[in-house]
Structure formats: structure tokens, C-alpha cells
């Protein structure tokens, strides 16, 4: 009962305090400059008053007045320009690649706001620089692995160590396809980053659409088994024939509005990731239901694997992050770590959301598409 009347008073005091900000020299540069002028005028007036009531000459008083005004102006000017000098120094360091430095932001005036904004910008630049370095390192590592394997196979053939039989050629083809997939994923991410991927949204029936995606996944893993190829990250091609795929659409006549091609990327990547992390004879279920808006859609891909620790959930959609425990099924190579990143960008392109949902067993990734709301916006 005692807290209720305090809330309006507190809000009133906050409004009054913000209203007095232009008059507070500690929170406003304009007020500080106004205070400087006022103090200088007051000192000059007092010295002139002293001169008029004493034997001191007016020119002596004028000299003292000028000296006092200059000292006060210099003091205030140094306090005002010190943040700018510090920002200039930090900017020079950033120009030479050092993004770790920050400026002090103890002030409460406009320079304090500028310092806070400057520090946020420096933190963002440091994060971008770190991400760029990690991206180069990860891409170099991912490219080096299939290239080294392909080179070893070709050197063995050239040196006569092994014959160019179908088995050897299949090994070389496997590494070439892995290299091609990585380049394709990087091109997809580059297009998404640059915003050059247009959306061609349309209305479609969810059940036959998702049935086709799961059928393609079954056909792809069967073809991979027959050809002797190993796991393909993010493409729906793998050798896990022991994992069962199940589709649950409620209601069965559900319709949605989205870009079918981009949504295919999302679902295929999520299914592939779930299969790779499923136990032997596991089950992967794709749930679909109506969202809150018109023609909206909520998709969930559930597996029975080890799941993702809560501390790692925010990182699973980062590039080159394989998230959670290593794939437990046979015939998996860990993938490129780009599948979930592509899924996230495709969902963001729709204006939707993707994330790891709570699940008593395994991992459940939920995708929410806004439907016609995003089309109107």
C-alpha cells in the first residue's frame, strides 16, 4: 500500500528532473557555457563595484577581470574538450586496428552520451573484427580439409599407389562435392548479408509441401548410401537410414504464406541437423501449426538426440558453429557448421524468428513465420 502513491511522485520527479536538464551545468553543455558567461559577468561586475568604492584604478580592475575570466574560461574549456581529445586518441588507435580501447563516460552531459555511443560503436567494431578473423580462419580450415584429401587421392593415382577405379573416384568425388557445398553455402550467406535475395512469397498448403521435403530427405539419404557418400551438411544428404522421419500438421488443411524455396532451405537444414544428432533408430518429427497472424506458420523440428546445453543455445546459429555434442550417428563428418546459420538468415529474411525451444528430450528448434503480416510490411 505504501508503494502505490510513490510511483506517480517518482514519475513526476523524473519528468521535472529531465525538464531541468537544460539548466543543469552538469548535464548540459549549453548550461555549462551559460554558467561560464554568468560567472565572468558577475566577477567583472563585482570588481567594478570594488573599484568604484575604493581607490583602486579602473584599469587595474579591468586587467584583473580579464585575467579571472581567462582562467575560468580555460578551466571550463579544458573540461569540455578533454573527452574530444580522448576520443581522437582512441580513434587513432582504432584506425591502426586496436578496437579494445574505450573512452571514459562518467559525465552526465551531451559528452557523456557521446562517449557511451562511441563505446558502443567501438564494441560493435571489435565484434565485427573478431568475427571477420574467425570467419577467415574457419573458412581456411574448412577449405583446407577437402582440398588436402582430394590432393592425396590424386597424388596416389598419379604415383601409381592406387588405381583410378570407381571406389577411388567416388572418394575424390566425395571431397569435391564437400568443397562445392562449402562454397555454395558461403555464396548463400553472402547474398543474404547483402540483401540481394528477393522473397517470392505465395500461399501454399503445408502438408503436401512438407511431405515433399521429407520425401526428398529420404530419397537423398538412400542415394547417398547407394553411392557410398558420407554426410553432407545442410543439404539433406546423409547415410543415416536408421532414423525415422515423421510429419505432424495440425490442422491437416493448414495453409501458409512464405517463400517456398527459402523455407525449403530452412526445413532441409533443420532436418539434416536433427538426423545427424539422432541416436540409432531415432525419430525426427516435424510439427506444423497455425501461428497468431493470418497465413502465419509455426514449425518445430524435434529429435531424440542429446540436446543442446542452455549455455550454448545462443551460439548454435552462428556461422561455423556445430553446436552441442558431436554428431552421434554413423557416417557423419560434423558438417560445415553453416546449415543453421543459413536457416537463421532465411527466417530473418521473412521477418520471422528461429530458436531452440524447451524440450524434455532431445533438441527442438522452433521457427515462426509471420505470414501475410510480413508481406504487408
Amino acid at each position: 500500500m505504501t508503494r502505490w502513491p510513490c510511483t506517480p511522485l517518482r514519475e513526476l520527479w523524473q519528468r521535472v528532473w529531465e525538464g531541468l536538464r537544460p539548466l543543469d551545468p552538469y548535464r548540459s553543455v549549453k548550461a555549462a557555457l551559460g554558467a561560464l558567461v554568468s560567472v565572468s559577468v558577475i566577477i567583472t561586475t563585482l570588481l567594478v563595484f570594488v573599484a568604484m568604492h575604493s581607490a583602486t584604478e579602473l584599469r587595474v580592475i579591468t586587467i584583473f577581470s580579464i585575467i579571472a575570466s581567462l582562467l575560468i574560461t580555460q578551466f571550463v574549456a579544458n573540461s569540455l574538450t578533454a573527452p574530444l581529445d580522448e576520443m581522437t586518441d582512441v580513434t587513432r588507435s582504432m584506425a591502426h586496428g586496436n578496437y579494445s580501447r574505450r573512452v571514459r563516460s562518467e559525465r552526465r552531459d551531451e559528452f557523456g552520451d557521446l562517449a557511451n555511443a562511441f563505446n558502443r560503436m567501438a564494441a560493435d567494431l571489435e565484434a565485427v573484427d573478431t568475427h571477420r578473423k574467425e570467419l577467415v580462419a574457419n573458412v581456411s580450415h574448412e577449405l583446407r580439409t577437402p582440398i588436402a584429401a582430394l590432393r592425396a587421392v590424386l597424388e596416389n593415382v598419379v604415383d601409381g599407389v592406387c588405381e583410378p577405379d570407381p571406389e577411388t573416384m567416388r572418394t575424390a568425388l566425395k571431397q569435391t562435392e564437400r568443397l562445392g557445398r562449402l562454397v555454395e553455402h558461403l555464396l548463400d550467406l553472402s547474398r543474404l548479408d547483402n540483401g540481394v535475395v528477393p522473397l517470392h512469397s505465395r500461399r501454399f498448403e503445408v502438408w503436401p509441401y512438407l511431405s515433399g521435403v521429407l520425401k526428398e530427405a529420404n530419397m537423398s539419404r538412400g542415394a547417398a548410401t547407394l553411392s557410398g557418400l558420407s554426410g553432407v551438411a545442410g543439404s539433406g544428404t546423409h547415410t543415416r537410414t536408421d532414423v525415422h522421419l515423421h510429419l505432424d500438421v495440425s490442422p491437416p488443411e493448414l495453409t501458409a504464406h512464405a517463400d517456398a524455396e527459402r523455407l525449403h532451405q530452412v526445413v532441409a537444414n533443420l532436418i539434416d541437423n536433427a538426423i545427424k544428432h539422432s541416436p540409432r533408430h531415432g525419430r525426427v518429427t516435424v510439427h506444423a501449426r497455425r501461428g497468431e497472424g493470418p497465413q502465419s506458420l509455426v514449425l518445430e523440428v524435434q529429435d531424440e538426440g542429446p540436446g543442446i546445453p542452455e549455455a550454448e543455445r545462443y551460439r548454435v546459429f552462428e556461422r561455423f558453429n556445430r553446436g552441442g555434442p558431436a554428431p552421434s550417428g554413423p557416417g557423419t563428418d560434423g558438417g560445415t557448421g553453416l546449415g543453421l546459420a543459413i536457416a537463421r538468415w532465411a527466417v530473418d529474411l521473412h521477418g520471422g524468428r528461429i530458436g531452440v525451444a524447451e524440450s524434455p528430450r532431445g533438441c527442438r528448434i522452433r521457427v515462426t513465420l509471420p505470414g501475410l503480416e510480413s508481406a504487408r510490411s
Side-chain angles (χ1 to χ4, degrees):
M1 299 296 294
T2 57
R3 293 183 179 180
W4 183 83
C6 294
T7 302
L9 293 177
R10 188 181 299 108
E11 293 178 354
L12 177 62
W13 170 248
Q14 290 178 352
R15 288 196 296 267
V16 172
W17 176 251
E18 290 300 323
L20 293 175
R21 178 170 184 144
L23 304 178
D24 187 355
Y26 292 100
R27 298 192 302 156
S28 174
V29 176
K30 293 180 180 179
L33 295 177
L36 169 63
V37 174
S38 300
V39 171
S40 300
V41 171
I42 291 174
I43 291 177
T44 303
T45 303
L46 290 176
L47 291 177
V48 171
F49 182 79
V50 170
M52 293 175 60
H53 293 78
S54 65
T56 309
E57 295 184 2
L58 185 59
R59 58 183 178 181
V60 176
I61 296 298
T62 303
I63 294 175
F64 277 109
S65 175
I66 293 174
I67 293 175
S69 299
L70 289 177
L71 291 176
I72 296 174
T73 302
Q74 184 67 20
F75 174 77
V76 175
N78 286 336
S79 65
L80 293 179
T81 58
L84 299 179
D85 295 337
E86 187 178 4
M87 290 181 191
T88 302
D89 187 35
V90 174
T91 303
R92 291 196 182 99
S93 299
M94 294 171 61
H96 290 86
N98 181 13
Y99 298 98
S100 61
R101 295 188 58 184
R102 300 291 185 270
V103 297
R104 290 174 296 179
S105 57
E106 295 90 356
R107 300 175 64 109
R108 296 182 296 171
D109 55 8
E110 291 85 351
F111 285 112
D113 297 337
L114 178 61
N116 290 327
F118 187 91
N119 288 335
R120 288 194 297 269
M121 180 195 68
D124 292 340
L125 290 176
E126 185 179 16
V128 170
D129 184 66
T130 302
H131 179 75
R132 177 184 61 82
K133 293 177 180 178
E134 292 178 353
L135 181 63
V136 172
N138 289 327
V139 169
S140 300
H141 173 74
E142 294 292 339
L143 290 175
R144 181 178 57 188
T145 302
I147 290 176
L150 182 61
R151 178 179 179 180
V153 172
L154 295 179
E155 285 180 348
N156 290 336
V157 173
V158 172
D159 296 339
V161 177
C162 60
E163 297 295 329
D165 52 17
E167 184 65 28
T168 303
M169 292 298 99
R170 277 196 294 266
T171 303
L173 178 61
K174 177 182 65 176
Q175 299 300 330
T176 304
E177 289 182 344
R178 182 181 178 187
L179 183 62
R181 288 191 302 272
L182 176 61
V183 174
E184 182 180 356
H185 285 169
L186 291 174
L187 289 175
D188 285 341
L189 288 177
S190 177
R191 296 189 190 101
L192 290 168
D193 284 342
N194 295 328
V196 297
V197 180
L199 277 181
H200 302 288
S201 299
R202 61 177 177 84
R203 180 180 175 272
F204 62 93
E205 296 182 3
V206 176
W207 178 274
Y209 175 80
L210 293 180
S211 297
V213 177
L214 266 66
K215 184 178 180 181
E216 290 180 11
N218 280 320
M219 294 176 60
S220 297
R221 60 178 176 166
T225 303
L226 292 175
S227 62
L229 298 179
S230 63
V232 178
S235 63
T237 305
H238 36 74
T239 60
R240 297 297 309 280
T241 57
D242 61 314
V243 178
H244 304 282
L245 302 181
H246 179 69
L247 178 60
D248 176 26
V249 179
S250 178
E253 65 276 8
L254 178 64
T255 60
H257 189 275
D259 187 318
E261 181 180 356
R262 295 302 159 197
L263 183 59
H264 187 284
Q265 278 185 307
V266 175
V267 179
N269 280 315
L270 294 181
I271 292 176
D272 181 70
N273 185 74
I275 291 175
K276 286 189 301 183
H277 291 83
S278 293
R280 293 183 181 273
H281 308 290
R283 180 187 181 98
V284 173
T285 305
V286 179
H287 300 275
R289 66 178 187 272
R290 184 177 289 109
E292 297 180 356
Q295 300 295 317
S296 59
L297 180 65
V298 177
L299 284 173
E300 292 182 350
V301 178
Q302 172 84 45
D303 62 51
E304 298 177 344
I308 302 175
E310 187 173 357
E312 296 292 328
R313 292 179 181 177
Y314 74 98
R315 299 182 62 245
V316 296
F317 298 100
E318 294 179 358
R319 302 174 187 185
F320 298 100
N321 184 282
R322 292 174 175 84
S328 57
T332 56
D333 62 357
T336 61
L338 289 173
L340 291 182
I342 292 176
R344 184 195 66 180
W345 283 107
V347 172
D348 289 344
L349 202 62
H350 283 83
R353 301 187 305 274
I354 185 172
V356 181
E358 293 294 335
S359 176
R361 181 183 180 187
C363 173
R364 181 172 62 176
I365 296 183
R366 179 180 299 157
V367 175
T368 304
L369 300 180
L372 290 176
E373 293 181 358
S374 62
R376 295 193 185 100
S377 59

